[in-house]
Amino acid sequence: MKKIILCSLFLGSICNLSLSQVYTPNGTVVEAHTLSAGDVALFEAQAAGWLADHNLTDSVQRVGAATREYNCHSFAWNISEGGNNVWVNAFLDSDYNSFNPYNSNSIPPLPQNISKYWDDGSYIQVSNESLASKVWYGSCWTWTVYGWSDNCDHSAVRLSNGLYKSKWGAWPLYIHAYNDCPYTWSNRKYYIKRPALSGPRNICGQETYTYTINLPNNIPVSWNVSSDIRIVSEQNNSVTVERNPNTYYMYTDSYIVAD
């Protein structure tokens, strides 16, 4: 069955591709494609023209060349974390293959490929943008006179200065304000990588043990433990526990969880 590479900006030529895969930090397989660079001169000219038409030539910083080898989702979630140059769609290939973007009755695909990054717990959503390291612009399929369009189909890395760094489809890689881009930004969601819980692996005797989680202090944390463990004291980012004196032995499935 024919595979199609889609970005809401570029619905033109179908390119030669090979299937690939990358992984979330928790090891879930994410569908990806290995592509050639394509017509780089054309992509550069298209991007420069769009920036000029929107008076953004001096507001947006180009930091990487145009190429079809990778896109926004791959840069934000994969390449920025050390991954290879591949193209990652928000949706699954199987869902797009059964979708007709020129039929108003066809049901648009859900972002079930890119959502693996947070559905498997690798990243957690936060409500405060200032805490975020990753930004997903959402999914907002809309029927137009040209067919179905998802102008929210975008991901970005949020930098410490509040600007975003993102690849615009096959167009170049830019640093820009959240709204200085070709994508609808009103549905953005913010994510941080789920931090690891640190502390001793074994609880013995009646000593106390402290566990910590590396999160900003303004993100609330709720500590939960199995019944063979008792919380002695807790703060937002740490908890001190001991063996529950009312139990005779530790369970094989004992747990300490920060929610």
Side-chain angles (χ1 to χ4, degrees):
M1 187 173 291
K2 182 170 63 179
K3 304 292 183 182
I4 298 177
I5 295 301
L6 169 72
C7 175
S8 57
L9 277 176
F10 313 108
L11 300 176
S13 60
I14 304 305
C15 49
N16 294 326
L17 60 88
S18 61
L19 299 181
S20 183
Q21 61 187 26
V22 294
Y23 298 88
T24 70
N26 283 347
T28 301
V29 173
V30 177
E31 290 182 357
H33 301 277
T34 302
L35 306 178
S36 63
D39 191 340
V40 173
L42 174 63
F43 301 148
E44 292 281 359
Q46 289 174 333
W50 186 90
L51 289 172
D53 290 344
H54 292 80
N55 297 315
L56 292 175
T57 302
D58 297 328
S59 303
V60 171
Q61 181 183 1
R62 177 185 174 279
V63 292
T67 178
R68 202 172 48 190
E69 293 176 314
Y70 71 98
N71 64 339
C72 62
H73 300 309
S74 182
F75 175 78
W77 303 93
N78 168 51
I79 297 172
S80 67
E81 300 294 327
N84 295 328
N85 285 4
V86 291
W87 186 287
V88 174
N89 285 320
F91 47 81
L92 297 170
D93 288 346
S94 57
D95 290 341
Y96 189 75
N97 286 335
S98 61
F99 170 56
N100 183 350
Y102 305 107
N103 183 345
S104 62
N105 294 319
S106 189
I107 299 175
L110 298 174
Q112 293 182 335
N113 194 42
I114 198 65
S115 66
K116 294 174 182 177
Y117 281 96
W118 51 89
D119 286 344
D120 79 343
S122 294
Y123 289 84
I124 56 176
Q125 185 176 346
V126 294
S127 58
N128 190 336
E129 181 189 3
S130 66
L131 302 175
S133 60
K134 313 289 186 188
V135 181
W136 181 53
Y137 276 55
S139 182
C140 56
W141 286 101
T142 304
W143 176 255
T144 72
V145 294
Y146 303 104
W148 285 104
S149 175
D150 185 1
N151 289 329
C152 299
D153 188 14
H154 190 56
S155 291
V157 171
R158 186 183 182 278
L159 305 177
S160 58
N161 61 4
L163 294 176
Y164 288 12
K165 187 175 184 179
S166 70
K167 180 77 161 45
W168 297 358
W171 290 2
L173 178 68
Y174 294 101
I175 293 177
H176 58 94
Y178 71 92
N179 56 344
D180 287 345
C181 66
Y183 304 93
T184 300
W185 47 266
S186 57
N187 296 316
R188 287 171 299 153
K189 293 181 172 59
Y190 314 116
Y191 295 89
I192 60 171
K193 185 177 289 186
R194 180 179 292 276
L197 183 66
S198 61
R201 295 184 60 85
N202 298 307
I203 297 177
C204 305
Q206 291 305 126
E207 297 182 24
T208 58
Y209 301 84
T210 298
Y211 295 82
T212 60
I213 189 167
N214 185 22
L215 277 175
N217 289 328
N218 52 351
I219 296 182
V221 175
S222 175
W223 293 95
N224 296 286
V225 299
S226 54
S227 60
D228 58 332
I229 299 173
R230 185 173 68 177
I231 295 177
V232 177
S233 64
E234 61 181 296
Q235 296 178 334
N236 192 58
N237 288 356
S238 66
V239 63
T240 299
V241 302
E242 65 181 5
R243 175 179 171 180
N244 189 334
N246 295 321
T247 60
Y248 293 100
Y249 55 87
M250 298 298 293
Y251 303 154
T252 58
D253 58 350
S254 300
Y255 63 81
I256 298 172
V257 178
D259 294 325

